[in-house]
Amino acid sequence: MTAPVGEPPVRSGSIFTRLYHGETNIQFVSRFKQWAIISALVIVLGLVSLYIRGLNLGIDFEGGVVWEVPAGGVSVTEARDAMENEGLEGLTVQSLTAEGEKRLRVEAEPLERTAEAQAISATLAELTGSDVNDVSLNSVGPSWGEEISRKALRALIFFLVAITLYISFRFEFKMAAPTLVALIHDVLITIGVYSLAGFEVTPATVIALLTILGYSIYDGIVVFDKVDENTKLVGTTHNLTYGEMVNMSLNQVLMRSLNTSITALLPVASLLVLGSFVL
């Protein structure tokens, strides 16, 4: 059976077979308003959360003091109560497992004097029945996080300029502009999700964000390359309109886009499952 003009040829078989051969017929272009509304809602929710709650910046960005000590049978609740009695501000208490040993991690805002931090170390040692030398103490200043942020911002600006020049040279500037819009879209959604979920922002988050931008650019270039290849079909004997050609191109590279996303998600999921739950 022959497909209508502007649609990929129809192949019998499962959806996976048609995806593999780029023969799906999902109407991306005609449903543009639906996709735009969904994205806009997610972005607006994220922006509202950013305005109300902000981001949960980690100690590397705000500065503070971190203690780690063998748990010794002490629960997180017991440790938190003891630390609150010490008057620590910005307190966070977590239970960690390292090499089969349960440990307590205590984070707090910077203390004015070193003696105060050492007194907390002694309190934790007494609480858990550990030697005071087993309590690790680290003080982090906010300047390090500020430096990382500045470097990430410079890297992002250089990245955007380089990508704009490449796409403008390889295709045309009209394709570079929507690519940058897509980048902003992905950044806003990612940051919005972090704000809504309350995930802690760490230097690893900055690296992950730059990685997301890389995948976004890669996927955009793949789509535009197929659009550029199929442009010659517009207005020829195929009688394709530009919108029909774009829709066909998106369907043809859909499997490649999915493979890119799945390949990125697999190691992340493995780290989450193995690191957070199994280990």
Side-chain angles (χ1 to χ4, degrees):
M1 181 174 63
T2 303
V5 174
E7 298 180 4
V10 177
R11 178 189 293 266
S12 60
S14 66
I15 181 64
F16 298 105
T17 301
R18 287 181 280 126
L19 269 173
Y20 180 79
H21 291 280
E23 296 170 354
T24 54
N25 189 29
I26 302 173
Q27 297 300 312
F28 292 104
V29 176
S30 62
R31 296 176 181 173
F32 167 76
K33 290 183 179 180
Q34 297 177 25
W35 313 131
I37 291 172
I38 293 173
S39 291
L41 286 175
V42 175
I43 290 174
V44 168
L45 284 174
L47 291 176
V48 170
S49 178
L50 277 173
Y51 179 76
I52 296 176
R53 301 176 56 186
L55 290 171
N56 178 21
L57 298 177
I59 192 172
D60 297 295
F61 292 95
E62 291 193 321
V65 188
V66 181
W67 297 266
E68 280 195 22
V69 60
V74 177
S75 67
V76 170
T77 303
E78 292 171 335
R80 181 180 293 108
D81 292 340
M83 293 299 98
E84 286 177 350
N85 291 334
E86 295 293 326
L88 293 179
E89 297 182 358
L91 181 64
T92 301
V93 182
Q94 296 174 304
S95 177
L96 309 175
T97 302
E99 299 180 355
E101 180 186 43
K102 289 187 176 182
R103 300 179 65 85
L104 291 173
R105 177 185 174 91
V106 179
E107 298 181 8
E109 293 181 3
L111 298 174
E112 295 182 359
R113 292 175 293 179
T114 304
E116 293 177 338
Q118 293 174 344
I120 297 298
S121 296
T123 301
L124 284 171
E126 181 181 356
L127 177 67
T128 59
S130 305
D131 189 278
V132 70
N133 293 324
D134 293 331
V135 182
S136 66
L137 169 62
N138 293 298
S139 181
V140 181
S143 59
W144 188 83
E146 292 174 1
E147 181 181 357
I148 292 295
S149 299
R150 287 196 299 269
K151 289 183 176 180
L153 182 60
R154 288 199 296 268
L156 178 60
I157 293 173
F158 174 80
F159 177 77
L160 294 178
V161 171
I163 286 299
T164 302
L165 292 175
Y166 171 77
I167 297 178
S168 299
F169 175 77
R170 174 64 178 82
F171 303 108
E172 55 181 299
F173 181 74
K174 290 181 180 180
M175 293 185 176
T179 302
L180 296 180
V181 172
L183 278 178
I184 296 172
H185 167 274
D186 294 344
V187 170
L188 289 177
I189 285 185
T190 304
I191 295 177
V193 168
Y194 258 82
S195 177
L196 287 167
F199 294 143
E200 186 178 35
V201 178
T202 66
T205 304
V206 177
I207 297 172
L209 186 61
L210 294 176
T211 303
I212 289 172
L213 295 183
Y215 276 108
S216 177
I217 284 291
Y218 170 79
D219 203 36
I221 291 176
V222 167
V223 171
F224 283 131
D225 185 62
K226 180 58 69 174
V227 170
D228 186 58
E229 178 185 330
N230 290 335
T231 299
K232 61 181 180 293
L233 301 177
V234 178
T236 63
T237 54
H238 294 81
N239 293 322
L240 281 178
T241 65
Y242 192 81
E244 290 171 339
M245 180 274 294
V246 170
N247 198 72
M248 181 179 69
S249 301
L250 288 168
N251 278 279
Q252 288 174 342
V253 298
L254 179 58
M255 189 63 195
R256 189 169 180 178
S257 297
L258 290 174
N259 283 335
T260 300
S261 301
I262 293 171
T263 302
L265 289 174
L266 280 176
V268 174
S270 300
L271 288 173
L272 285 174
V273 173
L274 293 177
S276 300
F277 300 104
V278 178
L279 300 180

